Amino acid sequence: MTALPFPIELDLIGIGSGNPDHVTRQAVAAINAADLILLPRKGAAKDDLAELRRVILGACLTNPATRVVEFDLPARATGHADYAGGVGLWHDQIAEAWAGALRGAGPAPRVPVRVALLVWGDPSLFDSSLRVARRLTPAPRIRALPGISALHALTAAHAIPLNTTGQPVVITTGRRLRERGWPGEADSVAVFVDADGAFRHLPPEGIRIWWGAYVGMAQELLDHGPLAEAGPRILSARAAARARHGWIMDLYLLRRTGD
């Protein structure tokens, strides 16, 4: 557990995937009700992400009493033999970074202090913030405010439904897709956190892919089609985009049958 310098109430605010128009009125109200907003920085190569948060705050924050505190987010070490253990250690480090940012913020304006973090997409879907928050002591009261997730933004951008009629959807990671193949009997598989195009390891026959990078942002890239045809294009576009911007956030939906 990570000790906080003072008791807090914590709002984890979903802000969509980079488009200020995706921020809900509920999110705007929570931003302006906060005493402190913690804004993470991920290094110079990913300063675009911090700048997008600054742009959103510039558009939404009107309360002059709300202070924005920037802090450096620790990078996750790669190559850990125990994947879950490595992620857990990283979450411990993030919790300490949050607490350190609060310690550096000065005296508490009131107790409990109302603290907000702007979370990409939705804080309950493929995001670590809720797990990190539960490492804090004294335990804060936590509110998770839903946002437009990257998955919703992806399917909307391609104008497709998430599932085929009456069929389930599996949400997984690139690592699990690469190691275990197609998961179960689902017709549709949404894949997050894929560093190297794990779809390359699937037999492409009868599979379609809908891919998006920087979905909702000005840099948005989209492609779709039969996996055998679209897969090589996506890998090439992905490599070029990463080289151009220094980072990439992307995801995709695979489907065995159309609808």
Side-chain angles (χ1 to χ4, degrees):
M1 300 296 288
T2 297
L4 294 169
F6 39 72
I8 68 171
E9 296 178 345
L10 181 62
D11 286 351
L12 302 175
I13 304 173
I15 56 170
S17 53
N19 186 337
D21 290 339
H22 288 178
V23 180
T24 66
R25 287 190 293 179
Q26 182 188 37
V28 172
I31 286 170
N32 284 283
D35 297 309
L36 297 172
I37 297 175
L38 300 185
L39 194 155
R41 298 183 298 247
K42 294 187 175 183
K46 295 185 178 180
D47 191 58
D48 288 356
L49 297 176
E51 185 58 28
L52 277 169
R53 283 186 170 94
R54 297 183 191 110
V55 168
I56 288 171
L57 289 176
C60 299
L61 179 58
T62 58
N63 183 357
T66 299
R67 288 193 294 139
V68 179
V69 178
E70 298 195 9
F71 68 100
D72 293 320
L73 197 67
R76 180 168 69 88
T78 58
H80 200 285
D82 174 9
Y83 177 81
V87 172
L89 176 61
W90 180 47
H91 290 172
D92 290 341
Q93 294 168 343
I94 295 174
E96 179 53 41
W98 290 4
L102 294 176
R103 285 192 290 270
R110 58 176 172 170
V111 176
V113 176
R114 192 161 183 177
V115 177
L117 278 143
L118 308 185
V119 176
W120 291 119
D122 186 293
S124 64
L125 181 60
F126 265 85
D127 183 79
S128 301
S129 300
L130 284 165
R131 297 183 183 90
V132 173
R134 293 190 169 91
R135 288 166 157 76
L136 303 175
T137 184
R141 183 235 57 187
I142 301 170
R143 286 200 313 162
L145 282 68
I148 296 174
S149 72
L151 181 56
H152 291 119
L154 176 75
T155 54
H158 284 289
I160 57 170
L162 178 59
N163 65 308
T164 56
T165 303
Q167 297 300 313
V169 176
V170 170
I171 300 175
T172 190
T173 65
R175 179 180 63 87
R176 292 181 69 89
L177 186 72
R178 182 176 61 253
E179 294 175 355
R180 303 189 182 189
W182 192 277
E185 298 180 358
D187 287 337
S188 303
V189 179
V191 184
F192 286 72
V193 197
D194 185 356
D196 62 354
F199 56 77
R200 294 182 295 114
H201 302 281
L202 296 174
E205 294 78 13
I207 299 175
R208 294 184 67 84
I209 185 170
W210 290 264
W211 171 79
Y214 316 103
V215 181
M217 303 180 191
Q219 308 97 311
E220 180 177 89
L221 298 171
L222 301 171
D223 200 348
H224 73 282
L227 183 57
E229 300 172 10
R233 292 198 308 267
I234 290 168
L235 291 173
S236 177
R238 191 179 192 282
R242 180 188 283 278
R244 184 164 60 251
H245 299 294
W247 60 277
I248 191 167
M249 289 197 302
D250 67 334
L251 74 163
Y252 51 90
L253 180 71
L254 299 170
R255 183 164 289 157
R256 278 178 166 161
T257 58
D259 191 12

